[in-house]
Amino acid sequence: MHSSEALLPVTSQQDPLSKSRSDTIPDTSWRRHIKLHIAVFSSLILIALYVTHIVTHEGSNDETATESRASLAGVSDKSNERFWRVFDGPKREAFPWNDTMLSWQRTTFHFQPENHWMNGPLFYKGWYHFFYQHNPNGTVWGDIVWGHAVSKDLIHWLHLPIAMVPDQWYDVNGVLTGSATFLDDGSIVMLYTGITDKFVQVQNLAYPEDPSDPLLLKWVKFSGNPILLPPLGIGAKDFRDPTTAWKTSAGKWRITIGSKINRTGVSLVYDTTDFKTYELLDTLLHQVSNTGEWECVDFYPVSKTKVIGLDTSVKGPDVKHVVKASMDDTRMDLYAIGTYVDANGTWFPDNPSIDVGISTGLRYDYGTYYASKTFYDGNKGRRILWGFTIESDSVYADVQKGWASVQAIPRTVVLDTKTGNNLILWPVEEIESLRLNSKKYHMTVGPGTVIPVDVGSASQLDIEAEFTIMKDDLEIILGDDPVVADGKDYSCETNGGSTVRGALGPFGFSVLADQTLSEHTPVYFYVTKGKDSKLKTFFCTDNLRSSMANDVVKSVYGSLVPVLKGEKLTMRILVDHSIIEGFGQGGRTCITSRAYPTKAIYGATKLFLFNNAIDANVTASFKVWQMNSAFIHPYSEDDL
């Protein structure tokens, strides 16, 4: 048993640090030749950091440097230059936003802070806790603290006081991502990344001041922090985001931390028995060349036989393991399913052609979704995913409206037992408690048809739909030849969006539309037969005409979605002002996007059903709910 008393010493011992590795990781036998020297080197590093703290702590928080603090720290920020470069677009002149437009953009049932910019989620004593990176002083990355909110149902939230602030030399430049672990006695430890006064990323330990407090209002930082420094060969800005710990067969706790070696993305593995001292394993959990920095690495089991969530330490023949990493270069969250070897702390993918981080790999979400984190909800026996949605407007607009960024609706995570090679992500069931009045529809939509759907104001909607293409149309249209131009496979991102017509698509819904469709965001299926003559279905979201504004990102998002024999095409869309979440085929493919209309706002927001196929008739059966607003506000005693 691991008691909380073991977490309160006045001194700490550093773990052995690893030696520098090349981009192609060599045989690990070299470690055994230098381990006697590593302890000495570790001590020297600690002394150097301490001396640096004494000498430079005063005035270390200099905001006047040319580089942003995020850039200096090696973490993500949203400067205009970086923002448009990531999305492969030029800088834009600021659009003349007015308060009416900007006020409408704030979401109503997605979690976001009261203002300004927005780690370790958990369920404790009847409350869901969400700790998140937050800048209380601005709408861009800067003075990063840990915001804290609690909920009974993951939908209605109370904002609590800030949980942790950057007040020590080892985290003075930011209290970054962390993960909570429940010990055997039910107590909690929190590992988190801090950025030192010299912009070095280190790992730190914290724990609740009062474990009997269900709100976990106060946190204590371990007196021996930092507990982990970047190992030899790991850059000072490339060592962040420790995972939730899991139990090994030997009874130790194990964590992984994302990094890179040259251009190879890696996940380092550490074992510990007390969360104070750590052993760096000779092996890596996983590595993939040419993928760059891995941040927000996640590792967890999924059941092969049951539609349930699993505690992080579960192993066995009926279990697969997921490795996910957030790619710092591309702002994408990619994952792979594979096999974990407990004996040496390694993992390998079932299908190397869709390994973590490569261009053909699987993504949690094919839109603006990043820095996600799962946790095991022991309250309901499920694994829940939190994800951050990147603002797609300009920094100027964020500053003008006074807030930035939103969390997507929490999603349950299970293995797709029908395909066996992808995950199913679906909004938590509690979101349905916000459904108000609804309308059902069943209609056949001919080629080139757009139909208004009378649901009143369409700013807050939950849409569930299924589509079928007439069998006769399929037989006539498909024939024996491919139906893609020049024999090229279709791509949501590069094939021009919803206005480019094919024999079997696109068809779906235009959301956040004005009456004349001068602004609208189509969410749709596109069915085609590729150059391999196999029928393929794509699920896409087209933001190209989502706004008249010129300083927002306008892209087409999406991917192939698996459709099994006999299945109808199904989609679900959550619309909440400036955020749209789409779920294709029960959550096999998900797309989150941001839209910033200038005309399709308030009562002018409309919903349309469309079929832009050239030849096919499509039958649509769907239900649309108006959605209530969630209760998200500051905490007071009366709320309890």
Side-chain angles (χ1 to χ4, degrees), residues 72 112 208 364 561:
L72 289 169
Q112 59 187 127
Y364 275 166
V561 58

Side-chain angles (χ1 to χ4, degrees), residues 75-279:
V75 297
S76 309
D77 71 341
K78 183 188 168 184
S79 65
N80 273 330
E81 182 179 358
R82 171 77 183 258
F83 178 65
W84 292 109
R85 186 168 71 248
V86 165
F87 288 100
D88 195 27
K91 289 185 180 180
R92 315 290 177 88
E93 294 298 323
F95 181 80
W97 296 99
N98 60 49
D99 289 342
T100 300
M101 299 173 188
L102 296 175
S103 296
W104 177 87
Q105 292 176 11
R106 189 170 182 88
T107 61
T108 63
F109 58 86
H110 284 73
F111 178 84
Q112 59 187 127
E114 293 179 277
N115 47 45
H116 304 316
W117 194 87
M118 27 174 286
N119 297 320
L122 58 94
F123 180 82
Y124 188 70
K125 295 185 182 297
W127 290 93
Y128 291 100
H129 291 255
F130 182 47
F131 301 93
Y132 56 95
Q133 292 180 43
H134 174 54
N135 179 2
N137 301 315
T139 56
V140 296
W141 202 96
D143 302 315
I144 300 301
V145 304
W146 267 28
H148 186 192
V150 293
S151 173
K152 287 288 187 178
D153 60 4
L154 292 169
I155 302 299
H156 306 284
W157 292 90
L158 302 175
H159 289 292
L160 297 184
I162 290 172
M164 280 197 284
V165 298
D167 58 0
Q168 303 296 321
W169 69 270
Y170 51 77
D171 63 13
V172 70
N173 279 303
V175 179
L176 301 188
T177 301
S179 296
T181 299
F182 283 93
L183 303 185
D184 294 331
D185 63 357
S187 59
I188 303 171
V189 293
M190 187 78 78
L191 300 178
Y192 74 93
T193 299
I195 302 179
T196 72
D197 48 8
K198 298 300 289 183
F199 293 99
V200 177
Q201 294 176 1
V202 298
Q203 310 311 316
N204 303 302
L205 172 66
Y207 46 86
E209 180 181 89
D210 179 9
S212 66
D213 175 17
L215 296 182
L216 300 174
L217 289 174
K218 296 182 179 180
W219 289 78
V220 176
K221 297 177 183 179
F222 172 48
S223 60
N225 283 336
I227 55 171
L228 283 173
L229 307 174
L232 283 168
I234 297 298
K237 303 175 184 178
D238 303 324
F239 183 62
R240 54 184 179 269
D241 311 333
T243 63
T244 295
W246 67 93
K247 269 294 188 62
T248 70
S249 297
K252 296 180 180 180
W253 290 99
R254 180 168 288 168
I255 65 169
T256 185
I257 298 174
S259 187
K260 67 177 179 180
I261 300 174
N262 296 326
R263 287 289 304 153
T264 294
V266 303
S267 47
L268 308 167
V269 184
Y270 291 86
D271 282 357
T272 183
T273 57
D274 58 7
F275 287 87
K276 300 173 294 179
T277 58
Y278 293 80
E279 174 191 1

